[in-house]
């Protein structure tokens, strides 16, 4: 079926396909998920998990009905323009969609789905690891023991900061931000947040969270800032030198969202000056490359993008991918259609 910019109602809902649709999966998924994909569809798997090159993505998109990419695959307008007429669904594995040009997909009549919600608790748990671990200098303690330099308990060494009574500033109060607030409340943290709009009063009351309209005010009042917003034109690089200067001396930053939300040079400068006490990072500007200055800093927890890395979460995400493909090939609207592609 040829694509065009005039999307019909059928194209925006689903496409009934006789026989098995050809599905290309760009990364190695959980074995049970791959087995089910293979049973249901004419599936091309990536069993050695080597990320696709741009040329391999282009080839795959020219000869499949459904592409199953992940956040490691940049599906931009040029790739979408080269896609074959068969391609009708990009069923992304993961909640984020900033790696896909949604407008270009919409203009070609290609539907986009994702897998929201399944990684909320996993990512919130990892954010809490940073919220606890950075003020308590966990990385430094682990390295002290492992290096054999620990000489025993002392009343004045490796002193961190207690959590109870401190202010946690949450930037982005969607599913994950709320899950972090729920966890942080149990540790006695005071919860303040910035969002595009306030949460309903009942949710604020349940979480013990206070809305702060100006993000700069939130940053200035917080002992720990944790980022949980998507990467958009408005948020990329928004945590810059000026905003690091607004932070309290000795405050910490946690980022499990997207690496490019933060001006990395500004963050390193704040760390090296001592104004920023530490950072908990699971995402980076140029993954998988991590600036050596971050690795060398004593109180920066550098994790390898494992916020969603639980067996349960990855299974659930794969099941959502399968459900989205099945709905689409049956001619129905998939449950996790990315509606931004239609506006």
């Amino acid at each position: 079926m040829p694509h065009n910019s005039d999307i019909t109602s059928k194209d925006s809902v689903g496409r009934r396909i006789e026989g098995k649709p050809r599905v290309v999966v760009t990364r190695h998924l959980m074995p049970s998920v791959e087995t089910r994909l293979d049973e249901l569809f004419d599936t091309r798997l990536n069993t050695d998990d080597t990320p696709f090159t741009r040329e391999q993505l282009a080839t795959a998109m020219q000869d499949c009905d459904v592409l199953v990419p992940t956040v490691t695959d940049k599906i931009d307008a040029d790739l979408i323009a080269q896609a074959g007429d068969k391609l009708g669904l990009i069923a992304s594995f993961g909640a984020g969609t900033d790696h896909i040009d949604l407008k270009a997909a919409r203009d070609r009549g290609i539907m986009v789905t994702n897998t929201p919600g399944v990684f909320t608790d996993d990512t919130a748990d990892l954010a809490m690891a940073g919220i606890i671990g950075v003020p308590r200098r966990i990385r430094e303690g682990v390295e002290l023991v492992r290096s054999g330099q620990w000489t025993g308990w002392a009343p004045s060494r490796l002193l961190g900061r207690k959590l109870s009574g401190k202010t946690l500033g949450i930037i982005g109060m969607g599913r994950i931000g709320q899950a972090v607030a729920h966890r942080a409340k149990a540790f006695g943290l005071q919860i303040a947040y910035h969002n595009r709009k306030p949460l309903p009063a009942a949710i604020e009351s349940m979480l013990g969270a206070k809305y702060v309209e100006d993000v700069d005010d939130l940053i200035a009042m917080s002992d720990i800032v944790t980022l949980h917003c998507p990467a958009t034109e408005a948020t990329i690089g928004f945590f810059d030198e000026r905003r690091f200067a607004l932070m309290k001396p000795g405050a910490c930053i946690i980022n499990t969202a997207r690496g490019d939300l933060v001006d990395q040079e500004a963050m390193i400068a704040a760390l090296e000056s001592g104004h920023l006490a530490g950072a908990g990072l699971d995402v980076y500007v140029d993954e998988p490359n991590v600036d050596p200055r971050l690795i060398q800093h004593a109180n920066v927890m550098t994790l390898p993008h494992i916020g969603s890395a639980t067996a349960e979460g990855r299974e659930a995400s794969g099941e959502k991918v399968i459900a989205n493909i099945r709905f689409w090939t049956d001619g129905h609207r998939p449950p996790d259609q990315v509606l931004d592609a239609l506006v």
Side-chain angles (χ1 to χ4, degrees):
M1 179 185 294
H3 298 304
N4 55 65
S5 58
D6 182 18
I7 305 173
T8 67
S9 60
K10 182 177 179 182
D11 290 328
S12 64
V13 174
R15 179 185 302 168
R16 182 174 291 278
I17 293 180
E18 300 299 329
K20 290 186 175 183
R22 174 161 294 180
V23 175
V24 174
V25 184
T26 67
R27 298 297 298 267
H28 179 42
L29 305 182
M30 296 294 287
S32 62
V33 172
E34 291 192 336
T35 297
R36 190 65 175 143
L37 283 164
D38 215 24
E39 291 171 351
L40 292 170
F41 315 118
D42 176 14
T43 306
R44 303 292 186 269
L45 298 172
N46 181 2
T47 54
D48 67 3
D49 202 35
T50 302
F52 275 28
T53 64
R54 186 174 178 83
E55 292 71 26
Q56 288 173 316
L57 280 171
T59 299
M61 292 170 68
Q62 288 165 9
D63 190 34
C64 68
D65 299 289
V66 180
L67 181 73
V68 180
T70 72
V71 295
T72 62
D73 302 303
K74 183 69 174 177
I75 312 297
D76 58 26
D78 288 342
L79 277 177
I80 291 171
Q82 298 173 48
D85 290 340
K86 289 175 60 178
L87 181 62
L89 175 64
I90 298 174
S92 191
F93 179 94
T97 58
D98 46 284
H99 58 296
I100 302 170
D101 190 318
L102 298 178
K103 181 180 183 301
R106 178 203 65 192
D107 290 345
R108 286 292 307 270
I110 300 171
M111 185 179 290
V112 177
T113 61
N114 63 343
T115 62
V118 296
F119 298 130
T120 297
D121 287 336
D122 302 331
T123 306
D125 289 345
L126 197 76
M128 281 305 303
I131 291 166
I132 298 166
V134 175
R136 293 303 306 271
R137 300 171 66 180
I138 297 297
R139 174 184 170 178
E140 293 173 85
V142 169
E143 292 186 354
L144 191 66
V145 173
R146 290 195 170 194
S147 66
Q149 298 179 55
W150 183 48
T151 58
W153 181 88
S156 59
R157 294 178 189 167
L158 207 63
L159 301 180
R161 296 290 181 178
K162 69 184 296 182
L163 294 182
S164 179
K166 298 297 192 296
T167 297
L168 175 67
I170 301 175
I171 300 178
M173 202 65 156
R175 292 185 184 94
I176 296 172
Q178 291 178 47
V180 169
H182 177 72
R183 288 157 171 75
K185 182 181 178 183
F187 283 83
L189 284 154
Q190 303 299 309
I191 311 300
Y193 75 96
H194 172 79
N195 206 36
R196 285 178 294 180
K197 58 183 180 180
L199 296 173
I203 296 178
E204 285 189 338
S205 177
M206 177 185 70
L207 297 174
K210 174 186 176 183
Y211 176 66
V212 180
E213 185 174 6
D214 190 315
V215 69
D216 287 351
D217 290 342
L218 177 74
I219 291 168
M221 67 188 290
S222 300
D223 298 289
I224 306 166
V225 175
T226 182
L227 306 181
H228 300 287
C229 46
T232 67
E233 290 184 5
T235 62
I236 290 176
F238 90 98
F239 216 108
D240 55 12
E241 182 180 5
R242 182 182 69 82
R243 289 194 162 116
F244 276 109
L246 289 174
M247 298 181 78
K248 293 179 179 181
C252 306
I253 189 168
I254 311 301
N255 188 9
T256 58
R258 290 288 184 270
D260 48 13
L261 299 176
V262 176
D263 180 329
Q264 184 167 275
E265 288 298 322
M267 177 170 59
I268 291 171
L271 286 163
E272 291 180 343
S273 72
H275 182 72
L276 187 65
L281 307 174
D282 189 42
V283 288
Y284 308 90
V285 173
D286 184 30
E287 294 186 18
N289 301 307
V290 181
D291 193 296
R293 292 171 293 176
L294 293 173
I295 297 171
Q296 291 162 6
H297 193 281
N299 198 24
V300 177
M301 293 178 63
T302 47
L303 299 173
H305 202 150
I306 56 172
S308 65
T310 68
E312 296 89 344
R314 297 285 168 86
E315 289 270 6
S317 186
E319 289 166 2
K320 274 184 170 280
V321 167
I322 292 169
N324 286 325
I325 297 172
R326 295 189 73 178
F327 269 76
W328 180 79
T329 57
D330 285 342
H332 303 300
R333 186 185 301 280
D336 299 307
Q337 181 180 3
V338 179
L339 298 180
D340 287 348
L342 297 179
V343 298

